[in-house]
Amino acid sequence: MKNFLVFCGALFLLFSTAIHADSSDPTTPSSSMEAMLVELTKVSLKKSLPVLKKIEHESSEEMLPLFSTLLSGNLYYLKSDRSLLARVKQDGKTEYRPLFDSPTANNALTLSKRDVKKVKVNNKLRKYLRGAIARIQLTSKDIAKRQAAVRSLLSSLDSDTIEHIHQLRSQEKNSSVKNMMDVALNLYSAENATSDVARVSAIRHLEGSLENDVRNLLTKLTKDGQSEPVRQAALSALKSIDQQVNRYALVDQLFFGLSLGSVLLLASIGLAITFGVMGVINMAHGEMIMLGAYTTYVVQLLMPNHIDYSIWVAIPAAFLVSGLMGVAIERGVIRHLHGRPLETLLATFGISLILQQLVRSIFSPLNRQVSTPSWMSGSVEINPVLSLTLNRLYILAFALLVFFALLFILKKTSLGLNVRAVSQNRNMARAMGVKTAWVDAMTFGLGSGIAGIAGVALSQLTNVGPNLGQAYIIDSFMVVVFGGVGNLFGTLVAAFSLGIATKFLEPVTGAVLAAITVLIFIILFIQKRPKGLFPQKGRAAE
């Protein structure tokens, strides 16, 4: 019985020790590691590299804070006990925090410069630290970090790094990381292999890679001093890569053309229905766009701590502000000028000047910066030579959403039925009991509201200023006339056609000549087809 109790006590002690070990902080260095960290604070700058190599060899991802803090020049130690500290600047104040605290801990120490001493670093150490960080991240659980780590090593490959990558290559399960490792291995072989056969084979495997380091090496191998088989293989691979780069450059231009087309669509779609229904040349349409952009700015001023959600408040707010202003303009001015296009043009031009001056008086003539929500920031990287910015992708999708929503309103609602009736034959619609004055007001308000939404989109691409709308009013009229007055589908096709054409012409002719070329094309096109791409049919066409 006594032996049994001793056995149970020993078993309990074993389990409690194991549990205690499991519950310990994984970021806390072991005793042997602590000794090396203390040694790092004692050795001179010239002797720091061997200590760092030893730390890297015997550690894993928990030492990343050490290497990254040392690389940034913010690694210090406490003179009293040589414990490592990270210097952090926050709210204009300098704080020192224990290096191996969790990121969420707030254990800032109040220390003076006399209490601490900096761990020095030079360019040689910085080069090593960048490679060490990448090598440590090669074993990270995050796939993106592993892939980025291999990519960062491409410009500084050596035999030790290649051996490390080769060992991890057999254990890697993710195909994208494996492909990046293959690029690194072939890149090293193409430059350092002893036989031409091995170098040529490595170069051929690099033909599908678009990494900048690969292109730089191949360009280097095409120069004199290389053997002819290697030089020819490099020329062939570089030619293949250049063809891919050119194709992706066309895709990039197409994307920017679609992006410009989406902005033109939002700016002109409201003008298309007002011009088509009422026959009014509204020179104040650009100022409706401006009002929408300033509404976005004001909403962000009212929601400074909720920028990510402000855009969802700004869209309906901009629609209401610009829409109500449009109704006020129609009721106050335009309804008195039916059938007098020249007076309408002059009146709306005067209104545009008034609105610009009103904005200058309230917000000043200076441009205002509108913050982009975090979920719209950044880009989607397709490959090393092609990335699509998120804000332009969202605006493209948003423009199509607005277009189809407006199409639904005009096809499936009573307002849309009345709008189509008035646009086809105003007198007959009035005779059938349609309140044409009410339809005019609602149509003008709807078109102006959509222009306000266009201002929200533009605020994410450019600065907001009093002259914002003036840059798009002429382009909007070109889109409406080119597509066919009053035809929404024509507006869609015309907006994207002009946007793509402009972006493909700009690299060849420049921005100004591209705009002039597009304008000349539209003038010549209208001479041939005065009613645009998709003219209205029926009696109203006359």
Side-chain angles (χ1 to χ4, degrees):
M1 184 68 180
K2 183 178 179 180
N3 292 336
F4 178 74
L5 291 175
V6 171
F7 174 76
C8 290
L11 194 62
F12 174 77
L13 181 62
L14 180 64
F15 275 117
S16 64
T17 303
I19 292 171
H20 178 72
D22 288 339
S23 61
S24 61
D25 185 2
T27 62
T28 303
S30 62
S31 57
S32 60
M33 183 59 67
E34 284 183 354
M36 285 187 281
L37 296 178
V38 171
E39 184 183 0
L40 181 64
T41 65
K42 292 181 177 180
V43 297
S44 62
L45 182 60
K46 293 181 180 179
K47 297 180 180 179
S48 296
L49 186 58
V51 178
L52 289 171
K53 287 183 177 179
K54 198 188 321 182
I55 292 173
E56 180 193 352
H57 181 70
E58 298 188 16
S59 68
S60 56
E61 207 168 352
E62 74 271 5
M63 284 295 118
L64 274 178
L66 170 69
F67 290 106
S68 58
T69 307
L70 182 57
L71 179 62
S72 64
N74 292 316
L75 186 64
Y76 287 73
Y77 66 90
L78 196 61
K79 290 181 179 180
S80 60
D81 62 0
R82 295 191 176 272
S83 59
L84 292 175
L85 304 170
R87 185 183 66 173
V88 180
K89 290 186 177 180
Q90 190 171 12
D91 299 330
K93 297 180 181 179
T94 300
E95 299 176 347
Y96 297 93
R97 298 179 180 177
L99 183 65
F100 295 103
D101 271 356
S102 64
T104 56
N106 187 18
N107 297 329
L109 303 177
T110 305
L111 300 169
S112 66
K113 291 184 178 180
R114 295 179 180 179
D115 300 323
V116 299
K117 189 172 181 179
K118 185 175 182 178
V119 180
K120 295 181 181 180
V121 61
N122 56 19
N123 289 335
K124 183 178 180 181
L125 286 181
R126 290 189 187 96
K127 182 179 179 182
Y128 165 77
L129 289 169
R130 292 189 188 96
I133 291 171
R135 286 189 291 272
I136 292 173
Q137 287 179 333
L138 284 175
T139 58
S140 172
K141 295 179 181 179
D142 189 339
I143 294 173
K145 285 185 178 180
R146 295 203 301 274
Q147 188 172 4
V150 181
R151 180 177 280 123
S152 66
L153 288 170
L154 294 180
S155 59
S156 57
L157 294 172
D158 54 35
S159 57
D160 292 337
T161 303
I162 285 297
E163 184 180 355
H164 188 51
I165 293 175
H166 196 278
Q167 291 174 354
L168 294 174
R169 169 69 174 77
S170 59
Q171 304 169 11
E172 182 59 52
K173 296 180 180 179
N174 183 267
S175 59
S176 60
V177 180
K178 273 187 176 181
N179 291 336
M180 189 60 65
M181 287 180 169
D182 289 338
V183 170
L185 296 173
N186 287 314
L187 193 65
Y188 184 80
S189 297
E191 187 175 15
N192 300 290
T194 55
S195 68
D196 285 349
V197 175
R199 296 180 71 187
V200 169
S201 176
I203 291 171
R204 286 175 179 170
H205 281 96
L206 292 172
E207 283 188 3
S209 176
L210 297 173
E211 299 293 335
N212 288 329
D213 294 295
V214 171
R215 296 171 67 189
N216 292 338
L217 176 64
L218 292 176
T219 303
K220 177 182 174 183
L221 294 179
T222 58
K223 297 178 180 179
D224 295 336
Q226 303 293 334
S227 64
E228 191 60 23
V230 171
R231 186 170 171 275
Q232 291 299 324
L235 283 170
S236 176
L238 198 58
K239 182 179 179 181
S240 174
I241 291 174
D242 286 340
Q243 289 175 349
Q244 294 183 64
V245 171
N246 292 335
R247 284 198 294 269
Y248 284 116
L250 291 177
V251 174
D252 190 50
Q253 284 183 308
L254 178 63
F255 170 68
F256 275 94
L258 291 174
S259 175
L260 176 59
S262 64
V263 173
L264 292 177
L265 178 64
L266 284 172
S268 59
I269 194 172
L271 190 64
I273 58 174
T274 55
F275 193 25
V277 173
M278 304 171 63
V280 174
I281 301 176
N282 179 20
M283 295 301 294
H285 186 76
E287 278 54 53
M288 302 299 106
I289 298 174
M290 176 196 68
L291 288 178
Y294 271 103
T295 301
T296 309
Y297 172 70
V298 171
V299 167
Q300 289 197 350
L301 288 181
L302 298 175
M303 303 175 61
N305 298 322
H306 303 283
I307 298 299
D308 285 353
Y309 306 103
S310 63
I311 196 89
W312 302 111
V313 178
I315 291 173
F319 181 85
L320 287 175
V321 170
S322 297
L324 291 174
M325 180 59 71
V327 172
I329 293 172
E330 199 281 331
R331 290 286 85 193
V333 178
I334 292 177
R335 72 186 180 99
H336 302 293
L337 300 174
H338 272 307
R340 296 151 66 185
L342 182 59
E343 286 87 343
T344 304
L345 187 149
L346 292 174
T348 54
F349 180 70
I351 291 171
S352 73
L353 296 179
I354 292 171
L355 290 175
Q356 288 181 44
Q357 188 56 47
L358 180 65
V359 166
R360 288 190 181 96
S361 300
I362 297 174
F363 298 100
S364 85
L366 301 176
N367 288 342
R368 300 295 179 180
Q369 180 70 39
V370 173
S371 301
T372 302
S374 60
W375 52 272
M376 288 183 68
S377 303
S379 59
V380 178
E381 185 176 329
I382 308 300
N383 55 51
V385 297
L386 177 63
S387 60
L388 308 179
T389 51
L390 284 175
N391 58 347
R392 293 183 180 275
L393 276 175
Y394 280 116
I395 289 172
L396 174 58
F398 180 65
L400 294 175
L401 180 64
V402 171
F403 172 80
F404 287 111
L406 182 60
L407 204 63
F408 176 82
I409 291 173
L410 294 180
K411 296 289 186 182
K412 301 295 182 181
T413 65
S414 58
L415 173 62
L417 180 63
N418 291 332
V419 167
R420 285 184 287 133
V422 173
S423 65
Q424 290 178 15
N425 194 318
R426 176 177 292 272
N427 293 329
M428 182 61 72
R430 185 184 295 115
M432 295 297 293
V434 176
K435 297 178 181 179
T436 55
W438 177 83
V439 171
D440 287 342
M442 291 298 101
T443 302
F444 209 87
L446 180 62
S448 300
I450 294 173
I453 293 177
V456 178
L458 280 173
S459 70
Q460 303 301 311
L461 298 175
T462 185
N463 289 329
V464 176
N467 298 321
L468 175 65
Q470 293 296 307
Y472 291 93
I473 183 66
I474 301 301
D475 291 337
S476 298
F477 275 111
M478 285 198 304
V479 169
V480 171
V481 173
F482 180 51
V485 176
N487 191 306
L488 288 184
F489 182 72
T491 304
L492 175 72
V493 174
F496 285 115
S497 298
L498 295 182
I500 293 171
T502 300
K503 286 302 176 182
F504 272 90
L505 284 172
E506 281 181 357
V508 180
T509 63
V512 176
L513 278 179
I516 294 173
T517 303
V518 170
L519 180 59
I520 292 173
F521 166 75
I522 291 177
I523 292 172
L524 296 176
F525 181 82
I526 294 302
Q527 296 296 319
K528 186 71 175 176
R529 292 182 61 116
K531 296 180 181 179
L533 284 173
F534 301 95
Q536 286 188 345
K537 298 179 180 180
R539 296 179 186 176
E542 301 299 325

